Amino acid sequence: WPLPLAFIGALAVGLVLALMVAVPSLRLEGFFLGLASLAFAQIFIVLMVQGGEVTGGADGISGYASPVFFGIRFSGQNYLFAVIGLFLATLAVLLSIDRTYFGRACRAIRDNPNPAAAMGINVAKTKIIVFVLSSMLAVIAGMFYAHADNYVNPFVFDLEYMFLLFFMVVIGGCGRHDGAVIGAVVLFLLPQLL
């Protein structure tokens, strides 16, 4: 597919999948929400492997070209700058959300959903919006990831990788934007440097 169409298609599929997972998971919190996320991820891997020509099956999808914008092919150093730009844009979006009513509502629900509901915050709606928003950010990051090597297969999303992502958040500190960055540096970049 042309890249803009693939981008819109990926966001649409991600939106539908996020809603399919978010609505049944509303009553889950903390550890149980994490387990449910892992279960859905494992179901996703099975669907990808069984997807035949649509997903490439166990072999995945490969052979697509690096993206080109305004005559510039995004590969190598250009791609690194694009990923850094995506990271900074994502951080800017999250920091700007923090300063809004919605950001304060998210923090209130995170701290204790019962008093947040008593203050008039629609807890269920806010949780669904957060889940969908974070899923859309993951879809965009996934598209960048898919073009990093021009190859993606279902086993990239296995449990080992998911636990690595969870540990990045835990080590960096939950509820902090810089925590995810610190966790990523410690668990991903530091071992490569060492």
Side-chain angles (χ1 to χ4, degrees):
W1 289 10
L3 190 61
L5 187 59
F7 183 75
I8 292 168
L11 285 175
V13 170
L15 175 68
V16 170
L17 290 175
L19 288 171
M20 286 173 57
V21 173
V23 173
S25 301
L26 274 178
R27 295 185 177 175
L28 301 174
E29 293 180 9
F31 177 73
F32 298 106
L33 181 59
L35 284 178
S37 299
L38 287 175
F40 280 116
Q42 293 309 299
I43 293 170
F44 176 74
I45 291 172
V46 171
L47 292 175
M48 295 296 290
V49 170
Q50 300 299 323
E53 291 183 13
V54 174
T55 63
D59 294 331
I61 301 172
S62 63
Y64 45 91
S66 298
V68 177
F69 290 106
F70 307 111
I72 300 171
R73 180 165 298 281
F74 281 87
S75 61
Q77 191 173 15
N78 289 339
Y79 203 74
L80 174 65
F81 292 136
V83 170
I84 292 170
L86 174 67
F87 165 71
L88 293 175
T90 302
L91 193 58
V93 166
L94 293 175
L95 290 174
S96 66
I97 288 174
D98 272 355
R99 297 185 193 105
T100 65
Y101 170 81
F102 180 73
R104 291 188 296 275
C106 290
R107 283 193 302 278
I109 292 170
R110 178 198 65 200
D111 292 341
N112 196 333
N114 293 330
M119 296 294 293
I121 297 171
N122 187 333
V123 175
K125 179 181 173 184
T126 305
K127 284 183 175 184
I128 290 173
I129 292 171
V130 167
F131 198 93
V132 169
L133 177 63
S134 62
S135 296
M136 294 300 97
L137 292 174
V139 166
I140 294 168
M143 288 195 68
F144 270 75
Y145 177 79
H147 283 95
D149 293 326
N150 291 341
Y151 172 68
V152 65
N153 71 29
F155 302 106
V156 171
F157 307 103
D158 66 358
L159 276 176
E160 179 182 345
Y161 189 68
M162 286 186 209
F163 280 125
L164 179 65
L165 293 174
F166 277 127
F167 292 147
M168 285 178 185
V169 174
V170 170
I171 286 176
C174 296
R176 299 174 38 204
H177 299 304
D178 58 347
V181 176
I182 292 167
V185 168
V186 170
L187 286 177
F188 187 75
L189 292 179
L190 191 59
Q192 290 188 13
L193 292 174
L194 295 176

mmCIF file with all atom_site columns, all heavy atoms in Angstrom, residues 126-147:
data_model
loop_
_atom_site.group_PDB
_atom_site.id
_atom_site.type_symbol
_atom_site.label_atom_id
_atom_site.label_alt_id
_atom_site.label_comp_id
_atom_site.label_asym_id
_atom_site.label_entity_id
_atom_site.label_seq_id
_atom_site.pdbx_PDB_ins_code
_atom_site.Cartn_x
_atom_site.Cartn_y
_atom_site.Cartn_z
_atom_site.occupancy
_atom_site.B_iso_or_equiv
_atom_site.pdbx_formal_charge
_atom_site.auth_seq_id
_atom_site.auth_comp_id
_atom_site.auth_asym_id
_atom_site.auth_atom_id
_atom_site.pdbx_PDB_model_num
ATOM 1   N N   . THR A 1 126 ? -12.622 7.938  30.651 1.00 0.00 ? 126 THR A N   1
ATOM 2   C CA  . THR A 1 126 ? -11.235 8.393  30.690 1.00 0.00 ? 126 THR A CA  1
ATOM 3   C C   . THR A 1 126 ? -10.275 7.239  30.472 1.00 0.00 ? 126 THR A C   1
ATOM 4   O O   . THR A 1 126 ? -9.300  7.364  29.725 1.00 0.00 ? 126 THR A O   1
ATOM 5   C CB  . THR A 1 126 ? -10.936 9.089  32.032 1.00 0.00 ? 126 THR A CB  1
ATOM 6   O OG1 . THR A 1 126 ? -11.881 10.147 32.214 1.00 0.00 ? 126 THR A OG1 1
ATOM 7   C CG2 . THR A 1 126 ? -9.538  9.658  32.061 1.00 0.00 ? 126 THR A CG2 1
ATOM 8   N N   . LYS A 1 127 ? -10.557 6.083  31.089 1.00 0.00 ? 127 LYS A N   1
ATOM 9   C CA  . LYS A 1 127 ? -9.687  4.918  30.903 1.00 0.00 ? 127 LYS A CA  1
ATOM 10  C C   . LYS A 1 127 ? -9.682  4.455  29.448 1.00 0.00 ? 127 LYS A C   1
ATOM 11  O O   . LYS A 1 127 ? -8.632  4.101  28.909 1.00 0.00 ? 127 LYS A O   1
ATOM 12  C CB  . LYS A 1 127 ? -10.134 3.767  31.814 1.00 0.00 ? 127 LYS A CB  1
ATOM 13  C CG  . LYS A 1 127 ? -9.744  3.939  33.259 1.00 0.00 ? 127 LYS A CG  1
ATOM 14  C CD  . LYS A 1 127 ? -10.158 2.708  34.056 1.00 0.00 ? 127 LYS A CD  1
ATOM 15  C CE  . LYS A 1 127 ? -9.688  2.784  35.481 1.00 0.00 ? 127 LYS A CE  1
ATOM 16  N NZ  . LYS A 1 127 ? -10.017 1.547  36.230 1.00 0.00 ? 127 LYS A NZ  1
ATOM 17  N N   . ILE A 1 128 ? -10.849 4.475  28.821 1.00 0.00 ? 128 ILE A N   1
ATOM 18  C CA  . ILE A 1 128 ? -10.922 4.059  27.411 1.00 0.00 ? 128 ILE A CA  1
ATOM 19  C C   . ILE A 1 128 ? -10.139 5.026  26.533 1.00 0.00 ? 128 ILE A C   1
ATOM 20  O O   . ILE A 1 128 ? -9.379  4.614  25.652 1.00 0.00 ? 128 ILE A O   1
ATOM 21  C CB  . ILE A 1 128 ? -12.389 3.950  26.948 1.00 0.00 ? 128 ILE A CB  1
ATOM 22  C CG1 . ILE A 1 128 ? -13.049 2.748  27.618 1.00 0.00 ? 128 ILE A CG1 1
ATOM 23  C CG2 . ILE A 1 128 ? -12.476 3.820  25.428 1.00 0.00 ? 128 ILE A CG2 1
ATOM 24  C CD1 . ILE A 1 128 ? -14.539 2.633  27.359 1.00 0.00 ? 128 ILE A CD1 1
ATOM 25  N N   . ILE A 1 129 ? -10.287 6.321  26.776 1.00 0.00 ? 129 ILE A N   1
ATOM 26  C CA  . ILE A 1 129 ? -9.549  7.316  25.985 1.00 0.00 ? 129 ILE A CA  1
ATOM 27  C C   . ILE A 1 129 ? -8.051  7.138  26.161 1.00 0.00 ? 129 ILE A C   1
ATOM 28  O O   . ILE A 1 129 ? -7.284  7.188  25.193 1.00 0.00 ? 129 ILE A O   1
ATOM 29  C CB  . ILE A 1 129 ? -9.995  8.749  26.360 1.00 0.00 ? 129 ILE A CB  1
ATOM 30  C CG1 . ILE A 1 129 ? -11.436 8.979  25.899 1.00 0.00 ? 129 ILE A CG1 1
ATOM 31  C CG2 . ILE A 1 129 ? -9.071  9.786  25.740 1.00 0.00 ? 129 ILE A CG2 1
ATOM 32  C CD1 . ILE A 1 129 ? -12.045 10.271 26.407 1.00 0.00 ? 129 ILE A CD1 1
ATOM 33  N N   . VAL A 1 130 ? -7.598  6.924  27.389 1.00 0.00 ? 130 VAL A N   1
ATOM 34  C CA  . VAL A 1 130 ? -6.168  6.722  27.651 1.00 0.00 ? 130 VAL A CA  1
ATOM 35  C C   . VAL A 1 130 ? -5.667  5.476  26.935 1.00 0.00 ? 130 VAL A C   1
ATOM 36  O O   . VAL A 1 130 ? -4.601  5.490  26.311 1.00 0.00 ? 130 VAL A O   1
ATOM 37  C CB  . VAL A 1 130 ? -5.890  6.633  29.170 1.00 0.00 ? 130 VAL A CB  1
ATOM 38  C CG1 . VAL A 1 130 ? -4.500  6.125  29.447 1.00 0.00 ? 130 VAL A CG1 1
ATOM 39  C CG2 . VAL A 1 130 ? -6.104  7.985  29.811 1.00 0.00 ? 130 VAL A CG2 1
ATOM 40  N N   . PHE A 1 131 ? -6.432  4.392  27.003 1.00 0.00 ? 131 PHE A N   1
ATOM 41  C CA  . PHE A 1 131 ? -6.036  3.144  26.359 1.00 0.00 ? 131 PHE A CA  1
ATOM 42  C C   . PHE A 1 131 ? -5.934  3.331  24.845 1.00 0.00 ? 131 PHE A C   1
ATOM 43  O O   . PHE A 1 131 ? -4.966  2.904  24.212 1.00 0.00 ? 131 PHE A O   1
ATOM 44  C CB  . PHE A 1 131 ? -7.044  2.042  26.700 1.00 0.00 ? 131 PHE A CB  1
ATOM 45  C CG  . PHE A 1 131 ? -6.515  0.661  26.467 1.00 0.00 ? 131 PHE A CG  1
ATOM 46  C CD1 . PHE A 1 131 ? -5.917  -0.040 27.491 1.00 0.00 ? 131 PHE A CD1 1
ATOM 47  C CD2 . PHE A 1 131 ? -6.605  0.064  25.225 1.00 0.00 ? 131 PHE A CD2 1
ATOM 48  C CE1 . PHE A 1 131 ? -5.421  -1.316 27.290 1.00 0.00 ? 131 PHE A CE1 1
ATOM 49  C CE2 . PHE A 1 131 ? -6.121  -1.208 24.998 1.00 0.00 ? 131 PHE A CE2 1
ATOM 50  C CZ  . PHE A 1 131 ? -5.521  -1.907 26.041 1.00 0.00 ? 131 PHE A CZ  1
ATOM 51  N N   . VAL A 1 132 ? -6.932  4.008  24.262 1.00 0.00 ? 132 VAL A N   1
ATOM 52  C CA  . VAL A 1 132 ? -6.927  4.230  22.813 1.00 0.00 ? 132 VAL A CA  1
ATOM 53  C C   . VAL A 1 132 ? -5.794  5.173  22.423 1.00 0.00 ? 132 VAL A C   1
ATOM 54  O O   . VAL A 1 132 ? -5.091  4.930  21.427 1.00 0.00 ? 132 VAL A O   1
ATOM 55  C CB  . VAL A 1 132 ? -8.299  4.759  22.343 1.00 0.00 ? 132 VAL A CB  1
ATOM 56  C CG1 . VAL A 1 132 ? -8.246  5.249  20.905 1.00 0.00 ? 132 VAL A CG1 1
ATOM 57  C CG2 . VAL A 1 132 ? -9.361  3.684  22.497 1.00 0.00 ? 132 VAL A CG2 1
ATOM 58  N N   . LEU A 1 133 ? -5.587  6.250  23.183 1.00 0.00 ? 133 LEU A N   1
ATOM 59  C CA  . LEU A 1 133 ? -4.509  7.181  22.875 1.00 0.00 ? 133 LEU A CA  1
ATOM 60  C C   . LEU A 1 133 ? -3.146  6.499  22.942 1.00 0.00 ? 133 LEU A C   1
ATOM 61  O O   . LEU A 1 133 ? -2.316  6.651  22.034 1.00 0.00 ? 133 LEU A O   1
ATOM 62  C CB  . LEU A 1 133 ? -4.548  8.371  23.843 1.00 0.00 ? 133 LEU A CB  1
ATOM 63  C CG  . LEU A 1 133 ? -3.429  9.393  23.694 1.00 0.00 ? 133 LEU A CG  1
ATOM 64  C CD1 . LEU A 1 133 ? -3.493  10.066 22.332 1.00 0.00 ? 133 LEU A CD1 1
ATOM 65  C CD2 . LEU A 1 133 ? -3.490  10.429 24.806 1.00 0.00 ? 133 LEU A CD2 1
ATOM 66  N N   . SER A 1 134 ? -2.905  5.720  23.989 1.00 0.00 ? 134 SER A N   1
ATOM 67  C CA  . SER A 1 134 ? -1.620  5.032  24.098 1.00 0.00 ? 134 SER A CA  1
ATOM 68  C C   . SER A 1 134 ? -1.478  3.981  22.998 1.00 0.00 ? 134 SER A C   1
ATOM 69  O O   . SER A 1 134 ? -0.373  3.763  22.482 1.00 0.00 ? 134 SER A O   1
ATOM 70  C CB  . SER A 1 134 ? -1.450  4.402  25.485 1.00 0.00 ? 134 SER A CB  1
ATOM 71  O OG  . SER A 1 134 ? -2.448  3.436  25.716 1.00 0.00 ? 134 SER A OG  1
ATOM 72  N N   . SER A 1 135 ? -2.581  3.371  22.599 1.00 0.00 ? 135 SER A N   1
ATOM 73  C CA  . SER A 1 135 ? -2.538  2.408  21.499 1.00 0.00 ? 135 SER A CA  1
ATOM 74  C C   . SER A 1 135 ? -2.186  3.099  20.189 1.00 0.00 ? 135 SER A C   1
ATOM 75  O O   . SER A 1 135 ? -1.433  2.560  19.373 1.00 0.00 ? 135 SER A O   1
ATOM 76  C CB  . SER A 1 135 ? -3.868  1.677  21.371 1.00 0.00 ? 135 SER A CB  1
ATOM 77  O OG  . SER A 1 135 ? -4.122  0.916  22.521 1.00 0.00 ? 135 SER A OG  1
ATOM 78  N N   . MET A 1 136 ? -2.727  4.289  19.958 1.00 0.00 ? 136 MET A N   1
ATOM 79  C CA  . MET A 1 136 ? -2.409  5.024  18.730 1.00 0.00 ? 136 MET A CA  1
ATOM 80  C C   . MET A 1 136 ? -0.928  5.419  18.699 1.00 0.00 ? 136 MET A C   1
ATOM 81  O O   . MET A 1 136 ? -0.280  5.346  17.654 1.00 0.00 ? 136 MET A O   1
ATOM 82  C CB  . MET A 1 136 ? -3.278  6.276  18.596 1.00 0.00 ? 136 MET A CB  1
ATOM 83  C CG  . MET A 1 136 ? -4.762  6.003  18.398 1.00 0.00 ? 136 MET A CG  1
ATOM 84  S SD  . MET A 1 136 ? -5.151  5.056  16.924 1.00 0.00 ? 136 MET A SD  1
ATOM 85  C CE  . MET A 1 136 ? -5.287  3.412  17.564 1.00 0.00 ? 136 MET A CE  1
ATOM 86  N N   . LEU A 1 137 ? -0.392  5.800  19.855 1.00 0.00 ? 137 LEU A N   1
ATOM 87  C CA  . LEU A 1 137 ? 1.040   6.096  19.917 1.00 0.00 ? 137 LEU A CA  1
ATOM 88  C C   . LEU A 1 137 ? 1.857   4.836  19.638 1.00 0.00 ? 137 LEU A C   1
ATOM 89  O O   . LEU A 1 137 ? 2.889   4.892  18.960 1.00 0.00 ? 137 LEU A O   1
ATOM 90  C CB  . LEU A 1 137 ? 1.400   6.684  21.282 1.00 0.00 ? 137 LEU A CB  1
ATOM 91  C CG  . LEU A 1 137 ? 0.852   8.080  21.577 1.00 0.00 ? 137 LEU A CG  1
ATOM 92  C CD1 . LEU A 1 137 ? 1.146   8.478  23.015 1.00 0.00 ? 137 LEU A CD1 1
ATOM 93  C CD2 . LEU A 1 137 ? 1.410   9.101  20.602 1.00 0.00 ? 137 LEU A CD2 1
ATOM 94  N N   . ALA A 1 138 ? 1.381   3.691  20.138 1.00 0.00 ? 138 ALA A N   1
ATOM 95  C CA  . ALA A 1 138 ? 2.076   2.424  19.881 1.00 0.00 ? 138 ALA A CA  1
ATOM 96  C C   . ALA A 1 138 ? 1.998   2.042  18.405 1.00 0.00 ? 138 ALA A C   1
ATOM 97  O O   . ALA A 1 138 ? 2.956   1.503  17.849 1.00 0.00 ? 138 ALA A O   1
ATOM 98  C CB  . ALA A 1 138 ? 1.488   1.314  20.753 1.00 0.00 ? 138 ALA A CB  1
ATOM 99  N N   . VAL A 1 139 ? 0.870   2.326  17.756 1.00 0.00 ? 139 VAL A N   1
ATOM 100 C CA  . VAL A 1 139 ? 0.737   2.037  16.326 1.00 0.00 ? 139 VAL A CA  1
ATOM 101 C C   . VAL A 1 139 ? 1.743   2.862  15.525 1.00 0.00 ? 139 VAL A C   1
ATOM 102 O O   . VAL A 1 139 ? 2.426   2.347  14.627 1.00 0.00 ? 139 VAL A O   1
ATOM 103 C CB  . VAL A 1 139 ? -0.705  2.318  15.837 1.00 0.00 ? 139 VAL A CB  1
ATOM 104 C CG1 . VAL A 1 139 ? -0.782  2.358  14.320 1.00 0.00 ? 139 VAL A CG1 1
ATOM 105 C CG2 . VAL A 1 139 ? -1.662  1.277  16.382 1.00 0.00 ? 139 VAL A CG2 1
ATOM 106 N N   . ILE A 1 140 ? 1.857   4.137  15.853 1.00 0.00 ? 140 ILE A N   1
ATOM 107 C CA  . ILE A 1 140 ? 2.806   5.004  15.142 1.00 0.00 ? 140 ILE A CA  1
ATOM 108 C C   . ILE A 1 140 ? 4.238   4.513  15.367 1.00 0.00 ? 140 ILE A C   1
ATOM 109 O O   . ILE A 1 140 ? 5.027   4.403  14.429 1.00 0.00 ? 140 ILE A O   1
ATOM 110 C CB  . ILE A 1 140 ? 2.631   6.468  15.580 1.00 0.00 ? 140 ILE A CB  1
ATOM 111 C CG1 . ILE A 1 140 ? 1.257   6.980  15.139 1.00 0.00 ? 140 ILE A CG1 1
ATOM 112 C CG2 . ILE A 1 140 ? 3.733   7.347  15.010 1.00 0.00 ? 140 ILE A CG2 1
ATOM 113 C CD1 . ILE A 1 140 ? 0.853   8.303  15.746 1.00 0.00 ? 140 ILE A CD1 1
ATOM 114 N N   . ALA A 1 141 ? 4.565   4.183  16.617 1.00 0.00 ? 141 ALA A N   1
ATOM 115 C CA  . ALA A 1 141 ? 5.896   3.647  16.908 1.00 0.00 ? 141 ALA A CA  1
ATOM 116 C C   . ALA A 1 141 ? 6.118   2.326  16.181 1.00 0.00 ? 141 ALA A C   1
ATOM 117 O O   . ALA A 1 141 ? 7.221   2.059  15.683 1.00 0.00 ? 141 ALA A O   1
ATOM 118 C CB  . ALA A 1 141 ? 6.070   3.466  18.410 1.00 0.00 ? 141 ALA A CB  1
ATOM 119 N N   . GLY A 1 142 ? 5.075   1.506  16.095 1.00 0.00 ? 142 GLY A N   1
ATOM 120 C CA  . GLY A 1 142 ? 5.187   0.231  15.390 1.00 0.00 ? 142 GLY A CA  1
ATOM 121 C C   . GLY A 1 142 ? 5.455   0.412  13.913 1.00 0.00 ? 142 GLY A C   1
ATOM 122 O O   . GLY A 1 142 ? 6.217   -0.354 13.310 1.00 0.00 ? 142 GLY A O   1
ATOM 123 N N   . MET A 1 143 ? 4.844   1.430  13.305 1.00 0.00 ? 143 MET A N   1
ATOM 124 C CA  . MET A 1 143 ? 5.125   1.694  11.895 1.00 0.00 ? 143 MET A CA  1
ATOM 125 C C   . MET A 1 143 ? 6.574   2.120  11.704 1.00 0.00 ? 143 MET A C   1
ATOM 126 O O   . MET A 1 143 ? 7.228   1.699  10.754 1.00 0.00 ? 143 MET A O   1
ATOM 127 C CB  . MET A 1 143 ? 4.167   2.753  11.351 1.00 0.00 ? 143 MET A CB  1
ATOM 128 C CG  . MET A 1 143 ? 2.765   2.224  11.185 1.00 0.00 ? 143 MET A CG  1
ATOM 129 S SD  . MET A 1 143 ? 1.736   3.279  10.174 1.00 0.00 ? 143 MET A SD  1
ATOM 130 C CE  . MET A 1 143 ? 2.492   3.082  8.583  1.00 0.00 ? 143 MET A CE  1
ATOM 131 N N   . PHE A 1 144 ? 7.069   2.927  12.617 1.00 0.00 ? 144 PHE A N   1
ATOM 132 C CA  . PHE A 1 144 ? 8.484   3.310  12.543 1.00 0.00 ? 144 PHE A CA  1
ATOM 133 C C   . PHE A 1 144 ? 9.370   2.084  12.733 1.00 0.00 ? 144 PHE A C   1
ATOM 134 O O   . PHE A 1 144 ? 10.368  1.914  12.056 1.00 0.00 ? 144 PHE A O   1
ATOM 135 C CB  . PHE A 1 144 ? 8.809   4.372  13.597 1.00 0.00 ? 144 PHE A CB  1
ATOM 136 C CG  . PHE A 1 144 ? 8.622   5.771  13.108 1.00 0.00 ? 144 PHE A CG  1
ATOM 137 C CD1 . PHE A 1 144 ? 7.347   6.309  12.952 1.00 0.00 ? 144 PHE A CD1 1
ATOM 138 C CD2 . PHE A 1 144 ? 9.703   6.567  12.790 1.00 0.00 ? 144 PHE A CD2 1
ATOM 139 C CE1 . PHE A 1 144 ? 7.160   7.587  12.500 1.00 0.00 ? 144 PHE A CE1 1
ATOM 140 C CE2 . PHE A 1 144 ? 9.537   7.859  12.336 1.00 0.00 ? 144 PHE A CE2 1
ATOM 141 C CZ  . PHE A 1 144 ? 8.252   8.376  12.186 1.00 0.00 ? 144 PHE A CZ  1
ATOM 142 N N   . TYR A 1 145 ? 8.989   1.220  13.663 1.00 0.00 ? 145 TYR A N   1
ATOM 143 C CA  . TYR A 1 145 ? 9.767   0.001  13.919 1.00 0.00 ? 145 TYR A CA  1
ATOM 144 C C   . TYR A 1 145 ? 9.778   -0.898 12.690 1.00 0.00 ? 145 TYR A C   1
ATOM 145 O O   . TYR A 1 145 ? 10.812  -1.463 12.337 1.00 0.00 ? 145 TYR A O   1
ATOM 146 C CB  . TYR A 1 145 ? 9.187   -0.751 15.120 1.00 0.00 ? 145 TYR A CB  1
ATOM 147 C CG  . TYR A 1 145 ? 9.901   -2.044 15.392 1.00 0.00 ? 145 TYR A CG  1
ATOM 148 C CD1 . TYR A 1 145 ? 11.119  -2.052 16.063 1.00 0.00 ? 145 TYR A CD1 1
ATOM 149 C CD2 . TYR A 1 145 ? 9.384   -3.250 14.952 1.00 0.00 ? 145 TYR A CD2 1
ATOM 150 C CE1 . TYR A 1 145 ? 11.791  -3.229 16.291 1.00 0.00 ? 145 TYR A CE1 1
ATOM 151 C CE2 . TYR A 1 145 ? 10.043  -4.434 15.180 1.00 0.00 ? 145 TYR A CE2 1
ATOM 152 C CZ  . TYR A 1 145 ? 11.252  -4.418 15.849 1.00 0.00 ? 145 TYR A CZ  1
ATOM 153 O OH  . TYR A 1 145 ? 11.912  -5.591 16.057 1.00 0.00 ? 145 TYR A OH  1
ATOM 154 N N   . ALA A 1 146 ? 8.634   -1.028 12.030 1.00 0.00 ? 146 ALA A N   1
ATOM 155 C CA  . ALA A 1 146 ? 8.536   -1.899 10.857 1.00 0.00 ? 146 ALA A CA  1
ATOM 156 C C   . ALA A 1 146 ? 9.445   -1.426 9.731  1.00 0.00 ? 146 ALA A C   1
ATOM 157 O O   . ALA A 1 146 ? 9.972   -2.231 8.964  1.00 0.00 ? 146 ALA A O   1
ATOM 158 C CB  . ALA A 1 146 ? 7.096   -1.966 10.375 1.00 0.00 ? 146 ALA A CB  1
ATOM 159 N N   . HIS A 1 147 ? 9.654   -0.111 9.629  1.00 0.00 ? 147 HIS A N   1
ATOM 160 C CA  . HIS A 1 147 ? 10.512  0.414  8.571  1.00 0.00 ? 147 HIS A CA  1
ATOM 161 C C   . HIS A 1 147 ? 11.981  0.494  8.977  1.00 0.00 ? 147 HIS A C   1
ATOM 162 O O   . HIS A 1 147 ? 12.825  0.821  8.147  1.00 0.00 ? 147 HIS A O   1
ATOM 163 C CB  . HIS A 1 147 ? 10.014  1.788  8.124  1.00 0.00 ? 147 HIS A CB  1
ATOM 164 C CG  . HIS A 1 147 ? 8.810   1.713  7.247  1.00 0.00 ? 147 HIS A CG  1
ATOM 165 N ND1 . HIS A 1 147 ? 7.530   1.830  7.733  1.00 0.00 ? 147 HIS A ND1 1
ATOM 166 C CD2 . HIS A 1 147 ? 8.680   1.485  5.917  1.00 0.00 ? 147 HIS A CD2 1
ATOM 167 C CE1 . HIS A 1 147 ? 6.674   1.705  6.741  1.00 0.00 ? 147 HIS A CE1 1
ATOM 168 N NE2 . HIS A 1 147 ? 7.338   1.484  5.636  1.00 0.00 ? 147 HIS A NE2 1
#
